[in-house]
Amino acid sequence: MENVAKPWPALWSLVIGFFMILIDTTIVSVANPRIMEGLNTDINAVIWVTSAYLLAYAVPLLITGRLGDRFGPKNLYLSGLVVFTLASLWCGLSGDIGMLIAARAVQGIGAAMMTPQTMAVITRIFPPDRRGAAMGLWGATAGMAILIGPILGGVLVDGLGWAWIFFVNVPIGVVAFILVTRLVPKLSTHNHKFDVLGVVLSAVGMFLLVFGIQEGQSFRWGTVTGPVTVWGLIITGIVVLAAFVVWQWLLERRGGEPLLPLGLFKDRNFSLGNTTIMAVGFTITAFPLPTIFYYQVVRGLTPTQSALLMIPMAVISGALAPFVGKLIDRVNPRWFAAFGLVCLAGALFWTSALLTPDTPIWMFLLPSALQGVANGFIWGPVSNATTRNLPPRQAGAGSGVFNTTRQIGAVLGSAAIAALIQARLAAELPAAPAGAPASEAGLTGQLPEYLHAGFSTAMGQSVLLPAFAILLGTAVALFFGKPKAVQGWGAPAKDAADTEARTDTRAAAANQG
């Protein structure tokens, strides 16, 4: 741990940029119908606007955590902030869907440079017995951003047009740059080697897997081109990712520095926490898409009106997260996390049951409120339990792994929900009067009434996917163990810092040997 006189101003300045990049994981969902209309594209292409961002965000996270250790988290954060802000301007100026997808990919790279640095700074400037409150703020920021994204998006789309969901990042990025430059200290750096082969294998594997899942329905799960099939892409992606894990294991056995330090997973809570946050990332990204399409296409709500249904979620989550953050230093976070995850699953099953053509709109405020309770109990406890025992020299790598698994879950959630929505629309909607498949038309305006029942059923069925995913996350979270006392659970900060230093010394000696 490093001695920083004023850690809270430093953290608050980082939180502004972190809030901005997380908003961009969900802000597009409410604008999808308008983007489809404005750029004359289809549902699968517009979901790539989100998937490209998430994929470019997820793949580099492992190496950007290491780059933060090597060149300093402040320097890498500021570099990523510049990339993200300029890419946001490019997104807003895009004139076709291909340009927008490309700009979103660059935006994702900037976000990947920034994200691991926030958790690394928390781990390095706060003593272990005070990290709970800091992680509570981090968790509140993550939860609030993901919830506020659709609300802010709705207001901007209705008031100024869809491009402004990206333009708004420019002034925020400038303010964040100034604050971080002034308030975040320069922390000591650690030399690292960089695993180029690991980067290539992880990037190729993730792209093949996500492309196969998301585009599967477009190609009817058959041939993509020549001998290449959808299932061939998916299987190849899985094989390449397996090869990546094997390479990481071999590199670690040979005394090298793997991109994915598998030794971190020897800690039980770190392994369980990464699995849980992957399920959370999957769910939080997937569930807004079918509900937003239902609100706007079946019920005829404007983007602002549909986003306002999420206000109870945002308000309750923001109120609860700081309160929970103060408690997780004294209570095993397993119980907070499990309670929140169960609430989230219940809210999604409830929402699925309400997705019918004639459900009173006000009733959707009830599961929205339950989702707010859920988010208040999820983010801080899961992140704190996962990273609590990381020694300082592994702060960047550990936070990189944690954020990578969350983003991998988000990427898979985006791809899977896109495929499921298309499949359920094809199954539930009859042919349009002119003979065209109804599932391929009408998504940029309110549907004719005879299609309302089928479309609502398809969206309700789609929401069940993230609901079951978060149930799996709940089962995993129940096995969280009580965090180790030597890392500050009941131990003074000085003792915990000394323990970390001894752990770091032993690790360095082992590497030299």
Side-chain angles (χ1 to χ4, degrees), residues 299-376:
R299 307 307 296 268
L301 301 185
T302 66
T304 300
Q305 290 170 335
S306 57
L308 289 176
L309 293 173
M310 300 182 184
I311 282 184
M313 200 188 326
V315 171
I316 294 174
S317 175
L320 281 178
F323 169 75
V324 174
K326 293 178 181 178
L327 296 177
I328 57 180
D329 281 327
R330 300 191 295 272
V331 181
N332 190 331
R334 166 175 57 191
W335 308 117
F336 293 118
F339 175 75
L341 293 165
V342 167
C343 287
L344 182 54
L348 296 184
F349 283 116
W350 192 356
T351 299
S352 175
L354 292 177
L355 290 179
T356 65
D358 52 1
T359 299
I361 287 295
W362 67 267
M363 290 189 67
F364 288 97
L365 296 171
L366 303 179
S368 175
L370 185 56
Q371 288 173 34
V373 174
N375 276 276

Side-chain angles (χ1 to χ4, degrees), residues 2 68-73 124 185-190 392:
E2 308 205 17
D69 286 341
R70 174 65 183 84
F71 298 106
R124 294 176 64 178
K186 286 189 175 182
L187 302 175
S188 60
T189 59
H190 305 281

Side-chain angles (χ1 to χ4, degrees), residues 35-405:
I35 294 175
M36 289 170 62
E37 184 177 6
L39 298 182
N40 192 28
T41 188
D42 59 25
I43 185 172
N44 196 52
V46 82
I47 291 179
W48 265 110
V49 174
T50 297
S51 293
Y53 175 77
L54 294 174
L55 189 60
Y57 190 170
V59 170
L61 277 172
L62 291 172
I63 196 169
T64 55
R66 292 297 183 88
L67 287 172
D69 286 341
R70 174 65 183 84
F71 298 106
K74 178 178 180 177
N75 293 334
L76 206 68
Y77 185 94
L78 290 173
S79 300
L81 183 59
V82 171
V83 172
F84 185 91
T85 303
L86 293 177
S88 297
L89 181 62
W90 182 14
C91 287
L93 297 174
S94 298
D96 59 69
I97 192 66
M99 186 68 71
L100 179 56
I101 291 172
R104 284 282 279 171
V106 176
Q107 197 183 37
I109 293 171
M113 296 171 68
M114 297 167 63
T115 299
Q117 317 319 324
T118 57
M119 289 186 69
V121 168
I122 291 174
T123 305
R124 294 176 64 178
I125 69 176
F126 285 90
D129 59 346
R130 292 174 56 200
R131 285 185 203 151
M135 284 294 184
L137 174 61
W138 185 91
T141 301
M144 287 290 290
I146 289 173
L147 300 176
I148 288 176
I151 298 173
L152 178 62
V155 173
L156 291 173
V157 169
D158 276 338
L160 299 171
W162 66 262
W164 281 89
I165 64 176
F166 304 112
F167 287 148
V168 72
N169 291 333
V170 177
I172 297 175
V174 172
V175 171
F177 188 93
I178 295 171
L179 291 176
V180 170
T181 300
R182 296 185 61 183
L183 298 176
V184 175
K186 286 189 175 182
L187 302 175
S188 60
T189 59
H190 305 281
N191 288 326
H192 287 294
K193 297 177 181 178
F194 296 106
D195 177 18
V196 176
L197 179 58
V199 173
V200 173
L201 288 174
S202 61
V204 171
M206 280 298 299
F207 177 79
L208 292 175
L209 180 61
V210 171
F211 184 88
I213 293 173
Q214 184 159 325
E215 296 293 325
Q217 185 64 26
S218 299
F219 293 102
R220 302 293 187 265
W221 301 97
T223 300
V224 176
T225 178
V228 180
T229 65
V230 169
W231 288 110
L233 290 174
I234 294 174
I235 293 170
T236 303
I238 293 173
V239 170
V240 172
L241 289 174
F244 165 72
V245 174
V246 171
W247 167 243
Q248 300 302 287
W249 178 77
L250 289 173
L251 194 60
E252 194 166 36
R253 286 288 298 270
R254 294 171 182 172
E257 286 200 65
L259 189 62
L260 177 64
L262 298 176
L264 291 174
F265 289 92
K266 292 178 181 178
D267 182 84
R268 174 182 173 183
N269 281 2
F270 188 81
S271 298
L272 295 173
N274 276 278
T275 305
T276 302
I277 204 65
M278 182 182 290
V280 172
F282 184 104
T283 299
I284 293 297
T285 304
F287 88 81
L289 290 169
T291 53
I292 291 296
F293 275 120
Y294 164 84
Y295 292 148
Q296 296 184 30
V297 175
V298 174
R299 307 307 296 268
L301 301 185
T302 66
T304 300
Q305 290 170 335
S306 57
L308 289 176
L309 293 173
M310 300 182 184
I311 282 184
M313 200 188 326
V315 171
I316 294 174
S317 175
L320 281 178
F323 169 75
V324 174
K326 293 178 181 178
L327 296 177
I328 57 180
D329 281 327
R330 300 191 295 272
V331 181
N332 190 331
R334 166 175 57 191
W335 308 117
F336 293 118
F339 175 75
L341 293 165
V342 167
C343 287
L344 182 54
L348 296 184
F349 283 116
W350 192 356
T351 299
S352 175
L354 292 177
L355 290 179
T356 65
D358 52 1
T359 299
I361 287 295
W362 67 267
M363 290 189 67
F364 288 97
L365 296 171
L366 303 179
S368 175
L370 185 56
Q371 288 173 34
V373 174
N375 276 276
F377 280 87
I378 290 173
W379 293 95
V382 172
S383 59
N384 191 46
T386 305
T387 62
R388 182 68 177 255
N389 299 323
L390 294 180
R393 76 183 304 271
Q394 292 183 318
S399 61
V401 171
F402 182 77
N403 284 289
T404 297
T405 54

